Amino acid sequence: MLDRIGDKWTVLVVQVLDQGPMRFNGLKRRIGGVSQKMLAQTLKALERDGLVSRHVFATTPVTVEYALTPLGGTLVGALSPLIAWSEGKIGEVTAARATFDAREPAGWA
């Protein structure tokens, strides 16, 4: 489970679906940088784990909507503090990376 919830695309999909059900292309637009293949794989894995539901509407063309399940909703509660920490500390992390990258590598091959 840590592999699943630690995945960046999982976190982003869950965060977006917390705002309500969404179609595939809507998710793709909201999640910058995700490929169609990666989004499809992530949604399938989340559905398999019971975190996301997939509802197919008999329209032409077929419409598919994704939503968080009640179990997926509990994941939002667990991820929220981590997301808040990440957003609040990005400046410090960026500064630490710049400091590290500016150093002469000692013993690095």
Side-chain angles (χ1 to χ4, degrees):
M1 279 311 302
L2 287 176
D3 281 341
R4 174 78 51 242
I5 62 175
D7 177 70
K8 120 177 160 175
W9 300 120
T10 293
V11 172
L12 294 172
V13 167
V14 168
Q15 188 177 22
V16 170
L17 287 179
D18 185 41
Q19 299 165 18
M22 193 168 290
R23 291 170 56 182
F24 186 90
N25 285 330
L27 280 165
K28 189 166 180 336
R29 279 191 298 276
R30 294 286 307 275
I31 302 170
V34 67
S35 69
Q36 185 166 334
K37 179 182 177 183
M38 185 52 64
L39 180 56
Q41 287 176 347
T42 301
L43 287 166
K44 187 173 185 176
L46 290 170
E47 183 182 7
R48 181 174 183 255
D49 290 342
L51 302 172
V52 167
S53 64
R54 181 178 182 267
H55 189 270
V56 179
F57 297 91
T59 57
T60 305
V62 173
T63 301
V64 179
E65 188 176 80
Y66 297 90
L68 287 180
T69 63
L71 180 60
T74 64
L75 180 57
V76 172
L79 289 175
S80 292
L82 179 60
I83 292 167
W85 181 89
S86 299
E87 290 171 347
K89 299 298 182 184
I90 189 64
E92 292 176 57
V93 170
T94 301
R97 287 177 180 173
T99 300
F100 180 89
D101 291 346
R103 291 190 326 214
E104 183 68 32
W108 289 79

